[in-house]
Amino acid sequence: MSRSQERSATKIAIAALFVLLTLMVTSQSARAGESSSITDRSVDWPTWEQWRRVLLVEDYNTRLVLAGTTLLGFAAGAVGSFTLLRKRSLMGDALSHATLPGIGLAFVLATLTGGDGKSLAVLLAGATLSALCGLAVILVIRNATRIKEDAALGIVLSVFFGAGVAVLGVAQQMRTGHAAGLEGFIYGKTASMVPLDAQLIGLAAAVVTIGCLLLFKEFKLLCFDESFAASRGYPVVALDVALMVLVVAVMIIGLQAVGLILMIALMVVPACAARFWTERMAVMTIAAAGIGAASCFAGAAMSALLPRLPSGAMIVVVATIVFVLSMLFAPARGLIARAVRRMRLESKVRRQHLLRAMYERLEARGTPPRPDQRDESLPVPFDELLPVRSWTAKELRSCIRRAERQELLRLASDDSVRLSPAGCREAIKDVHHHRLWELYLIKYADVAPSQVDRDADAIEHVLDAGMIAELESLVQEQVARRRIAPSPHDLADPEQSA
Amino acid sequence: MAADPTTTADCEVSQPSTNDRMPDPLSIHDLTVAYHSRPVLWDISVDVPAGQLVAIVGPNGAGKSTLIKAVMDLVPRASGRVLIFGKPYKQNRRRVGYVPQRESVDWDFPVNALDVVTMGLYGKIGWCWPVTRKHRKTAMDALARVGIAHLAHRQISHLSGGQQQRTFLARALAQDADLYLMDEPFAAVDAATERVIVQVLTELKDAGKTILVIHHDLQTVAEYFDHVILLNMRIVAVGPTQTTFTQENLQKTYGGKLTLLDQATEAMRRAERSR
């Protein structure tokens, strides 16, 4: 996952938390007013009975709504993992905002022609047409002009959403029909969902999931290596359009439950969260679908308990919590795991520096430690170690303390350091690797001998056994495994090599 | 537009033989490619007979990658025709293996090396069909040929640059093509990888395959390749490395002096900018 995607996911997460906070504050202040307008977000804490009914899914209605939205989350997570890897996450946001004028116009037209302006099928048909118009506009701007895609997305997102708000305003002025409730599409409202809607959503989600399954291999190739896919004869443009059609399909069926503003979060956040856990695309897609499904279930359940809260916000908040937990605690790519790995490496590097400094000081005196050493090495005074590298006295002392705990060396009372037998062996190994690497750099990379020490430092700490074996054969030193190659540069003046 | 005199001379990589032989693996005739009305390749004509290892050499912006992409219909052609074994690319796609530039993809992608190599077989597997054990076996064999079978299950971002390049090469090998097009396979690879690639190229050539390689390292051209195409928006020279890869031809390819053609292009660029 690229850094920019992580950043946009974090932004969405922050936005979702902000929405929750706002809701909590407004719910507190609204309770005093006791108004009953559609902007009333006051929350009545559900009774035990209500909890039981929702959690055990006793209501037929609740059951259908929960099942429908869960399937929606599943499909959104799956499609979202493709758009994330295709680096088209924000395309979905622009398209979802582009649905609003279609919803408004569909309502106006249906009402004027005497039909039912609130029929979900009519409204969603309008939303689909309008989203496809948005997609067409993005493609035209991107391909026919020199304006870049991000600007095209910005234009479509804001202009279509603005037009949609204007159309809704007109719709509310109409004599016939009541436009109240159309705002539900902006924030999402499962409360207005009837069984038929839930069935429609479930069916569409199932179709989208099957589409993802069938085209999984093709989408994977498209996301990874577009030009190779094209060279194999895959219709890249058609595949991209197919992916966008799946995005629009998820978007449309998500309008009612999640709302058009937050729909993008349901596609991006589960996929980003899943990416932290795995390096396999199939696992990531399934995990994203699972996280999406779980978030939708939990969000819709909360919304059933607290009907005045927009379900979209609830769903996104749950998904965001999963995202934050994944970002912090995932073992593969999570921030904490990464930080721990980095700290371990740094401490290993410092320990190797210390051991090597010890070895080289002892070597300079003509008494290098031997691998079969049975007792402690000769002492090296602390003041002699300090100028070897650019470490401060404090850093060096903490490094010595750490190595003492690992029983590699001992700081005697006269402030001098002695290597333990184990420390001797460790120091010999480190110095051996370091010198092999130095020789390799001089021999094969044309590095000046005076520059080698620093370059060797930069890389030797990450060498694994295979690379060391390769180095040993490459450098063709007639050093027995236990013997140490001589240093290729002068060690007499520690200032120079530090 | 009249081509530069050096271009028309000796456009065959080798002398044409009798008519009843197989059609050439690659035959390009009068190819011109333009990006936004700015030409990047002018009147390219070249025939590459079977079983040759050909380097495409030229300075940055000479259109080397564009040439390969134009052969595979990845960029639109302004004019000209390209035939692969006597047929348009569309009909002979399976006989062409492609190794794109390593930098062209995001290596922090959730797949392992084996997955990437298996992608070379997707054309054979067909739409919507799953990858089977047999395909994975083929992919493993390809990885073994480039010496990284033991890294098959490693995530691709944990591979070194050379190992990533070998993965791309293995993907093309898995296709079992007859004509290979490789975009800078030697760019920024370690010495061990360079040796493996050279060995694979030699094996392919010995098996009668034809290989075109975009190459940037002038030092090794004579050592690795028996034929060379010197390219700088147009073909400067083409032929056996020994006779074609000369100081004089290199001067023409990389030299600073503007030819009439370059001046015309520059004028068009200026005209477009002022528009």
Side-chain angles (χ1 to χ4, degrees), chain A residues 9 11 29 55 75 112 119 127 142 150 178 188 192 210 257 327 333 360 444 470 472:
Chain A
K11 261 185 216 159
S29 55
L55 289 181
L112 286 180
S119 144
R142 193 185 65 187
D150 59 337
H178 291 283
S192 61
I210 291 170
M327 183 169 77
R333 298 164 66 98
E360 283 172 356
Y444 291 93
E470 209 171 316
E472 276 173 345

mmCIF file with all atom_site columns, all heavy atoms in Angstrom, chain A residues 9 11 29 55 75 112 119 127 142 150 178 188 192 210 257 327 333 360 444 470 472:
data_model
loop_
_atom_site.group_PDB
_atom_site.id
_atom_site.type_symbol
_atom_site.label_atom_id
_atom_site.label_alt_id
_atom_site.label_comp_id
_atom_site.label_asym_id
_atom_site.label_entity_id
_atom_site.label_seq_id
_atom_site.pdbx_PDB_ins_code
_atom_site.Cartn_x
_atom_site.Cartn_y
_atom_site.Cartn_z
_atom_site.occupancy
_atom_site.B_iso_or_equiv
_atom_site.pdbx_formal_charge
_atom_site.auth_seq_id
_atom_site.auth_comp_id
_atom_site.auth_asym_id
_atom_site.auth_atom_id
_atom_site.pdbx_PDB_model_num
ATOM 1   N N   . ALA A 1 9   ? -6.618  6.981   3.673   1.00 0.00 ? 9   ALA A N   1
ATOM 2   C CA  . ALA A 1 9   ? -7.420  6.144   4.554   1.00 0.00 ? 9   ALA A CA  1
ATOM 3   C C   . ALA A 1 9   ? -7.446  6.744   5.953   1.00 0.00 ? 9   ALA A C   1
ATOM 4   O O   . ALA A 1 9   ? -8.492  6.773   6.617   1.00 0.00 ? 9   ALA A O   1
ATOM 5   C CB  . ALA A 1 9   ? -6.844  4.737   4.594   1.00 0.00 ? 9   ALA A CB  1
ATOM 6   N N   . LYS A 1 11  ? -7.152  9.841   6.660   1.00 0.00 ? 11  LYS A N   1
ATOM 7   C CA  . LYS A 1 11  ? -8.017  11.025  6.614   1.00 0.00 ? 11  LYS A CA  1
ATOM 8   C C   . LYS A 1 11  ? -9.474  10.630  6.766   1.00 0.00 ? 11  LYS A C   1
ATOM 9   O O   . LYS A 1 11  ? -10.235 11.246  7.517   1.00 0.00 ? 11  LYS A O   1
ATOM 10  C CB  . LYS A 1 11  ? -7.817  11.750  5.282   1.00 0.00 ? 11  LYS A CB  1
ATOM 11  C CG  . LYS A 1 11  ? -6.868  12.937  5.386   1.00 0.00 ? 11  LYS A CG  1
ATOM 12  C CD  . LYS A 1 11  ? -6.831  13.640  4.050   1.00 0.00 ? 11  LYS A CD  1
ATOM 13  C CE  . LYS A 1 11  ? -5.425  14.159  3.788   1.00 0.00 ? 11  LYS A CE  1
ATOM 14  N NZ  . LYS A 1 11  ? -5.180  14.392  2.379   1.00 0.00 ? 11  LYS A NZ  1
ATOM 15  N N   . SER A 1 29  ? -27.181 18.189  22.742  1.00 0.00 ? 29  SER A N   1
ATOM 16  C CA  . SER A 1 29  ? -27.817 19.507  22.719  1.00 0.00 ? 29  SER A CA  1
ATOM 17  C C   . SER A 1 29  ? -29.234 19.416  22.165  1.00 0.00 ? 29  SER A C   1
ATOM 18  O O   . SER A 1 29  ? -30.105 20.186  22.561  1.00 0.00 ? 29  SER A O   1
ATOM 19  C CB  . SER A 1 29  ? -26.987 20.478  21.885  1.00 0.00 ? 29  SER A CB  1
ATOM 20  O OG  . SER A 1 29  ? -26.807 19.926  20.607  1.00 0.00 ? 29  SER A OG  1
ATOM 21  N N   . LEU A 1 55  ? -30.097 -8.068  18.834  1.00 0.00 ? 55  LEU A N   1
ATOM 22  C CA  . LEU A 1 55  ? -28.944 -8.959  18.886  1.00 0.00 ? 55  LEU A CA  1
ATOM 23  C C   . LEU A 1 55  ? -29.319 -10.382 18.508  1.00 0.00 ? 55  LEU A C   1
ATOM 24  O O   . LEU A 1 55  ? -28.536 -11.110 17.906  1.00 0.00 ? 55  LEU A O   1
ATOM 25  C CB  . LEU A 1 55  ? -28.321 -8.931  20.274  1.00 0.00 ? 55  LEU A CB  1
ATOM 26  C CG  . LEU A 1 55  ? -27.589 -7.627  20.592  1.00 0.00 ? 55  LEU A CG  1
ATOM 27  C CD1 . LEU A 1 55  ? -26.970 -7.680  21.963  1.00 0.00 ? 55  LEU A CD1 1
ATOM 28  C CD2 . LEU A 1 55  ? -26.516 -7.340  19.543  1.00 0.00 ? 55  LEU A CD2 1
ATOM 29  N N   . ALA A 1 75  ? -19.521 -7.175  -0.386  1.00 0.00 ? 75  ALA A N   1
ATOM 30  C CA  . ALA A 1 75  ? -19.224 -6.812  -1.777  1.00 0.00 ? 75  ALA A CA  1
ATOM 31  C C   . ALA A 1 75  ? -18.354 -5.561  -1.830  1.00 0.00 ? 75  ALA A C   1
ATOM 32  O O   . ALA A 1 75  ? -17.397 -5.484  -2.617  1.00 0.00 ? 75  ALA A O   1
ATOM 33  C CB  . ALA A 1 75  ? -20.526 -6.590  -2.541  1.00 0.00 ? 75  ALA A CB  1
ATOM 34  N N   . LEU A 1 112 ? -43.724 14.268  -11.396 1.00 0.00 ? 112 LEU A N   1
ATOM 35  C CA  . LEU A 1 112 ? -44.414 15.041  -12.425 1.00 0.00 ? 112 LEU A CA  1
ATOM 36  C C   . LEU A 1 112 ? -45.228 14.135  -13.328 1.00 0.00 ? 112 LEU A C   1
ATOM 37  O O   . LEU A 1 112 ? -46.299 14.506  -13.779 1.00 0.00 ? 112 LEU A O   1
ATOM 38  C CB  . LEU A 1 112 ? -43.409 15.834  -13.263 1.00 0.00 ? 112 LEU A CB  1
ATOM 39  C CG  . LEU A 1 112 ? -42.793 17.049  -12.571 1.00 0.00 ? 112 LEU A CG  1
ATOM 40  C CD1 . LEU A 1 112 ? -41.828 17.752  -13.510 1.00 0.00 ? 112 LEU A CD1 1
ATOM 41  C CD2 . LEU A 1 112 ? -43.879 18.005  -12.085 1.00 0.00 ? 112 LEU A CD2 1
ATOM 42  N N   . SER A 1 119 ? -40.185 5.585   -5.053  1.00 0.00 ? 119 SER A N   1
ATOM 43  C CA  . SER A 1 119 ? -39.880 4.186   -5.330  1.00 0.00 ? 119 SER A CA  1
ATOM 44  C C   . SER A 1 119 ? -38.374 4.002   -5.454  1.00 0.00 ? 119 SER A C   1
ATOM 45  O O   . SER A 1 119 ? -37.702 4.727   -6.189  1.00 0.00 ? 119 SER A O   1
ATOM 46  C CB  . SER A 1 119 ? -40.586 3.758   -6.621  1.00 0.00 ? 119 SER A CB  1
ATOM 47  O OG  . SER A 1 119 ? -39.770 2.850   -7.326  1.00 0.00 ? 119 SER A OG  1
ATOM 48  N N   . ALA A 1 127 ? -29.917 7.383   -9.978  1.00 0.00 ? 127 ALA A N   1
ATOM 49  C CA  . ALA A 1 127 ? -28.578 7.475   -9.396  1.00 0.00 ? 127 ALA A CA  1
ATOM 50  C C   . ALA A 1 127 ? -27.551 6.806   -10.308 1.00 0.00 ? 127 ALA A C   1
ATOM 51  O O   . ALA A 1 127 ? -26.460 7.338   -10.535 1.00 0.00 ? 127 ALA A O   1
ATOM 52  C CB  . ALA A 1 127 ? -28.570 6.813   -8.020  1.00 0.00 ? 127 ALA A CB  1
ATOM 53  N N   . ARG A 1 142 ? -10.112 13.605  -18.601 1.00 0.00 ? 142 ARG A N   1
ATOM 54  C CA  . ARG A 1 142 ? -8.779  13.050  -18.443 1.00 0.00 ? 142 ARG A CA  1
ATOM 55  C C   . ARG A 1 142 ? -8.122  12.759  -19.793 1.00 0.00 ? 142 ARG A C   1
ATOM 56  O O   . ARG A 1 142 ? -6.941  13.019  -19.999 1.00 0.00 ? 142 ARG A O   1
ATOM 57  C CB  . ARG A 1 142 ? -8.862  11.760  -17.626 1.00 0.00 ? 142 ARG A CB  1
ATOM 58  C CG  . ARG A 1 142 ? -7.512  11.272  -17.153 1.00 0.00 ? 142 ARG A CG  1
ATOM 59  C CD  . ARG A 1 142 ? -7.644  9.948   -16.462 1.00 0.00 ? 142 ARG A CD  1
ATOM 60  N NE  . ARG A 1 142 ? -8.083  8.910   -17.385 1.00 0.00 ? 142 ARG A NE  1
ATOM 61  C CZ  . ARG A 1 142 ? -8.404  7.675   -17.015 1.00 0.00 ? 142 ARG A CZ  1
ATOM 62  N NH1 . ARG A 1 142 ? -8.374  7.343   -15.754 1.00 0.00 ? 142 ARG A NH1 1
ATOM 63  N NH2 . ARG A 1 142 ? -8.779  6.780   -17.905 1.00 0.00 ? 142 ARG A NH2 1
ATOM 64  N N   . ASP A 1 150 ? -6.729  13.742  -10.938 1.00 0.00 ? 150 ASP A N   1
ATOM 65  C CA  . ASP A 1 150 ? -7.172  14.220  -9.628  1.00 0.00 ? 150 ASP A CA  1
ATOM 66  C C   . ASP A 1 150 ? -8.065  15.451  -9.776  1.00 0.00 ? 150 ASP A C   1
ATOM 67  O O   . ASP A 1 150 ? -9.086  15.576  -9.099  1.00 0.00 ? 150 ASP A O   1
ATOM 68  C CB  . ASP A 1 150 ? -5.978  14.497  -8.713  1.00 0.00 ? 150 ASP A CB  1
ATOM 69  C CG  . ASP A 1 150 ? -5.033  15.523  -9.300  1.00 0.00 ? 150 ASP A CG  1
ATOM 70  O OD1 . ASP A 1 150 ? -5.049  15.678  -10.542 1.00 0.00 ? 150 ASP A OD1 1
ATOM 71  O OD2 . ASP A 1 150 ? -4.297  16.161  -8.537  1.00 0.00 ? 150 ASP A OD2 1
ATOM 72  N N   . HIS A 1 178 ? -43.799 14.290  -1.477  1.00 0.00 ? 178 HIS A N   1
ATOM 73  C CA  . HIS A 1 178 ? -42.994 14.788  -0.373  1.00 0.00 ? 178 HIS A CA  1
ATOM 74  C C   . HIS A 1 178 ? -41.562 14.349  -0.554  1.00 0.00 ? 178 HIS A C   1
ATOM 75  O O   . HIS A 1 178 ? -41.266 13.176  -0.560  1.00 0.00 ? 178 HIS A O   1
ATOM 76  C CB  . HIS A 1 178 ? -43.548 14.276  0.957   1.00 0.00 ? 178 HIS A CB  1
ATOM 77  C CG  . HIS A 1 178 ? -44.862 14.893  1.269   1.00 0.00 ? 178 HIS A CG  1
ATOM 78  N ND1 . HIS A 1 178 ? -44.981 16.177  1.742   1.00 0.00 ? 178 HIS A ND1 1
ATOM 79  C CD2 . HIS A 1 178 ? -46.125 14.417  1.132   1.00 0.00 ? 178 HIS A CD2 1
ATOM 80  C CE1 . HIS A 1 178 ? -46.258 16.459  1.897   1.00 0.00 ? 178 HIS A CE1 1
ATOM 81  N NE2 . HIS A 1 178 ? -46.983 15.420  1.531   1.00 0.00 ? 178 HIS A NE2 1
ATOM 82  N N   . GLY A 1 188 ? -27.288 8.095   4.718   1.00 0.00 ? 188 GLY A N   1
ATOM 83  C CA  . GLY A 1 188 ? -27.637 6.693   4.887   1.00 0.00 ? 188 GLY A CA  1
ATOM 84  C C   . GLY A 1 188 ? -28.629 6.513   6.007   1.00 0.00 ? 188 GLY A C   1
ATOM 85  O O   . GLY A 1 188 ? -28.534 7.122   7.073   1.00 0.00 ? 188 GLY A O   1
ATOM 86  N N   . SER A 1 192 ? -35.324 3.409   6.996   1.00 0.00 ? 192 SER A N   1
ATOM 87  C CA  . SER A 1 192 ? -36.361 3.546   5.976   1.00 0.00 ? 192 SER A CA  1
ATOM 88  C C   . SER A 1 192 ? -36.388 2.340   5.041   1.00 0.00 ? 192 SER A C   1
ATOM 89  O O   . SER A 1 192 ? -37.098 2.319   4.061   1.00 0.00 ? 192 SER A O   1
ATOM 90  C CB  . SER A 1 192 ? -36.115 4.825   5.170   1.00 0.00 ? 192 SER A CB  1
ATOM 91  O OG  . SER A 1 192 ? -34.859 4.725   4.546   1.00 0.00 ? 192 SER A OG  1
ATOM 92  N N   . ILE A 1 210 ? -19.930 -12.340 -7.127  1.00 0.00 ? 210 ILE A N   1
ATOM 93  C CA  . ILE A 1 210 ? -19.638 -13.357 -8.143  1.00 0.00 ? 210 ILE A CA  1
ATOM 94  C C   . ILE A 1 210 ? -18.780 -12.770 -9.265  1.00 0.00 ? 210 ILE A C   1
ATOM 95  O O   . ILE A 1 210 ? -17.827 -13.398 -9.739  1.00 0.00 ? 210 ILE A O   1
ATOM 96  C CB  . ILE A 1 210 ? -20.962 -13.944 -8.702  1.00 0.00 ? 210 ILE A CB  1
ATOM 97  C CG1 . ILE A 1 210 ? -21.635 -14.772 -7.611  1.00 0.00 ? 210 ILE A CG1 1
ATOM 98  C CG2 . ILE A 1 210 ? -20.702 -14.817 -9.920  1.00 0.00 ? 210 ILE A CG2 1
ATOM 99  C CD1 . ILE A 1 210 ? -23.034 -15.204 -7.946  1.00 0.00 ? 210 ILE A CD1 1
ATOM 100 N N   . ALA A 1 257 ? -28.202 2.453   2.697   1.00 0.00 ? 257 ALA A N   1
ATOM 101 C CA  . ALA A 1 257 ? -27.736 2.076   4.027   1.00 0.00 ? 257 ALA A CA  1
ATOM 102 C C   . ALA A 1 257 ? -26.609 2.976   4.510   1.00 0.00 ? 257 ALA A C   1
ATOM 103 O O   . ALA A 1 257 ? -26.542 3.319   5.688   1.00 0.00 ? 257 ALA A O   1
ATOM 104 C CB  . ALA A 1 257 ? -27.266 0.625   4.011   1.00 0.00 ? 257 ALA A CB  1
ATOM 105 N N   . MET A 1 327 ? -3.935  -1.053  11.767  1.00 0.00 ? 327 MET A N   1
ATOM 106 C CA  . MET A 1 327 ? -2.769  -0.220  11.501  1.00 0.00 ? 327 MET A CA  1
ATOM 107 C C   . MET A 1 327 ? -1.768  -0.352  12.650  1.00 0.00 ? 327 MET A C   1
ATOM 108 O O   . MET A 1 327 ? -0.567  -0.400  12.431  1.00 0.00 ? 327 MET A O   1
ATOM 109 C CB  . MET A 1 327 ? -3.204  1.229   11.328  1.00 0.00 ? 327 MET A CB  1
ATOM 110 C CG  . MET A 1 327 ? -2.087  2.171   10.975  1.00 0.00 ? 327 MET A CG  1
ATOM 111 S SD  . MET A 1 327 ? -2.716  3.775   10.490  1.00 0.00 ? 327 MET A SD  1
ATOM 112 C CE  . MET A 1 327 ? -3.124  4.466   12.067  1.00 0.00 ? 327 MET A CE  1
ATOM 113 N N   . ARG A 1 333 ? 2.414   -5.825  8.770   1.00 0.00 ? 333 ARG A N   1
ATOM 114 C CA  . ARG A 1 333 ? 2.769   -4.480  8.326   1.00 0.00 ? 333 ARG A CA  1
ATOM 115 C C   . ARG A 1 333 ? 2.341   -3.405  9.299   1.00 0.00 ? 333 ARG A C   1
ATOM 116 O O   . ARG A 1 333 ? 2.427   -2.216  8.998   1.00 0.00 ? 333 ARG A O   1
ATOM 117 C CB  . ARG A 1 333 ? 2.126   -4.205  6.964   1.00 0.00 ? 333 ARG A CB  1
ATOM 118 C CG  . ARG A 1 333 ? 2.604   -5.141  5.872   1.00 0.00 ? 333 ARG A CG  1
ATOM 119 C CD  . ARG A 1 333 ? 1.698   -5.104  4.662   1.00 0.00 ? 333 ARG A CD  1
ATOM 120 N NE  . ARG A 1 333 ? 1.716   -3.833  3.979   1.00 0.00 ? 333 ARG A NE  1
ATOM 121 C CZ  . ARG A 1 333 ? 2.441   -3.585  2.897   1.00 0.00 ? 333 ARG A CZ  1
ATOM 122 N NH1 . ARG A 1 333 ? 3.181   -4.520  2.376   1.00 0.00 ? 333 ARG A NH1 1
ATOM 123 N NH2 . ARG A 1 333 ? 2.422   -2.410  2.328   1.00 0.00 ? 333 ARG A NH2 1
ATOM 124 N N   . GLU A 1 360 ? 38.754  -4.648  17.541  1.00 0.00 ? 360 GLU A N   1
ATOM 125 C CA  . GLU A 1 360 ? 39.795  -3.918  16.821  1.00 0.00 ? 360 GLU A CA  1
ATOM 126 C C   . GLU A 1 360 ? 40.776  -3.243  17.769  1.00 0.00 ? 360 GLU A C   1
ATOM 127 O O   . GLU A 1 360 ? 41.970  -3.119  17.469  1.00 0.00 ? 360 GLU A O   1
ATOM 128 C CB  . GLU A 1 360 ? 39.154  -2.919  15.852  1.00 0.00 ? 360 GLU A CB  1
ATOM 129 C CG  . GLU A 1 360 ? 38.632  -3.650  14.617  1.00 0.00 ? 360 GLU A CG  1
ATOM 130 C CD  . GLU A 1 360 ? 37.799  -2.794  13.682  1.00 0.00 ? 360 GLU A CD  1
ATOM 131 O OE1 . GLU A 1 360 ? 37.551  -1.612  14.023  1.00 0.00 ? 360 GLU A OE1 1
ATOM 132 O OE2 . GLU A 1 360 ? 37.385  -3.309  12.632  1.00 0.00 ? 360 GLU A OE2 1
ATOM 133 N N   . TYR A 1 444 ? 34.905  -5.603  -6.056  1.00 0.00 ? 444 TYR A N   1
ATOM 134 C CA  . TYR A 1 444 ? 33.875  -5.648  -7.100  1.00 0.00 ? 444 TYR A CA  1
ATOM 135 C C   . TYR A 1 444 ? 33.173  -4.328  -7.329  1.00 0.00 ? 444 TYR A C   1
ATOM 136 O O   . TYR A 1 444 ? 32.549  -4.132  -8.334  1.00 0.00 ? 444 TYR A O   1
ATOM 137 C CB  . TYR A 1 444 ? 32.841  -6.723  -6.771  1.00 0.00 ? 444 TYR A CB  1
ATOM 138 C CG  . TYR A 1 444 ? 33.415  -8.103  -6.888  1.00 0.00 ? 444 TYR A CG  1
ATOM 139 C CD1 . TYR A 1 444 ? 33.957  -8.742  -5.790  1.00 0.00 ? 444 TYR A CD1 1
ATOM 140 C CD2 . TYR A 1 444 ? 33.431  -8.759  -8.117  1.00 0.00 ? 444 TYR A CD2 1
ATOM 141 C CE1 . TYR A 1 444 ? 34.495  -10.005 -5.898  1.00 0.00 ? 444 TYR A CE1 1
ATOM 142 C CE2 . TYR A 1 444 ? 33.976  -10.009 -8.240  1.00 0.00 ? 444 TYR A CE2 1
ATOM 143 C CZ  . TYR A 1 444 ? 34.501  -10.634 -7.138  1.00 0.00 ? 444 TYR A CZ  1
ATOM 144 O OH  . TYR A 1 444 ? 35.043  -11.867 -7.259  1.00 0.00 ? 444 TYR A OH  1
ATOM 145 N N   . GLU A 1 470 ? 27.816  -16.561 0.038   1.00 0.00 ? 470 GLU A N   1
ATOM 146 C CA  . GLU A 1 470 ? 28.099  -16.102 -1.314  1.00 0.00 ? 470 GLU A CA  1
ATOM 147 C C   . GLU A 1 470 ? 29.321  -15.176 -1.314  1.00 0.00 ? 470 GLU A C   1
ATOM 148 O O   . GLU A 1 470 ? 30.200  -15.283 -2.169  1.00 0.00 ? 470 GLU A O   1
ATOM 149 C CB  . GLU A 1 470 ? 26.869  -15.345 -1.838  1.00 0.00 ? 470 GLU A CB  1
ATOM 150 C CG  . GLU A 1 470 ? 26.699  -15.415 -3.333  1.00 0.00 ? 470 GLU A CG  1
ATOM 151 C CD  . GLU A 1 470 ? 25.348  -14.837 -3.744  1.00 0.00 ? 470 GLU A CD  1
ATOM 152 O OE1 . GLU A 1 470 ? 24.340  -15.150 -3.085  1.00 0.00 ? 470 GLU A OE1 1
ATOM 153 O OE2 . GLU A 1 470 ? 25.324  -14.069 -4.706  1.00 0.00 ? 470 GLU A OE2 1
ATOM 154 N N   . GLU A 1 472 ? 31.738  -15.148 0.852   1.00 0.00 ? 472 GLU A N   1
ATOM 155 C CA  . GLU A 1 472 ? 32.967  -15.882 1.136   1.00 0.00 ? 472 GLU A CA  1
ATOM 156 C C   . GLU A 1 472 ? 33.513  -16.544 -0.117  1.00 0.00 ? 472 GLU A C   1
ATOM 157 O O   . GLU A 1 472 ? 34.711  -16.533 -0.372  1.00 0.00 ? 472 GLU A O   1
ATOM 158 C CB  . GLU A 1 472 ? 32.710  -16.923 2.236   1.00 0.00 ? 472 GLU A CB  1
ATOM 159 C CG  . GLU A 1 472 ? 32.828  -16.287 3.607   1.00 0.00 ? 472 GLU A CG  1
ATOM 160 C CD  . GLU A 1 472 ? 32.427  -17.210 4.723   1.00 0.00 ? 472 GLU A CD  1
ATOM 161 O OE1 . GLU A 1 472 ? 31.787  -18.241 4.451   1.00 0.00 ? 472 GLU A OE1 1
ATOM 162 O OE2 . GLU A 1 472 ? 32.744  -16.883 5.870   1.00 0.00 ? 472 GLU A OE2 1
#
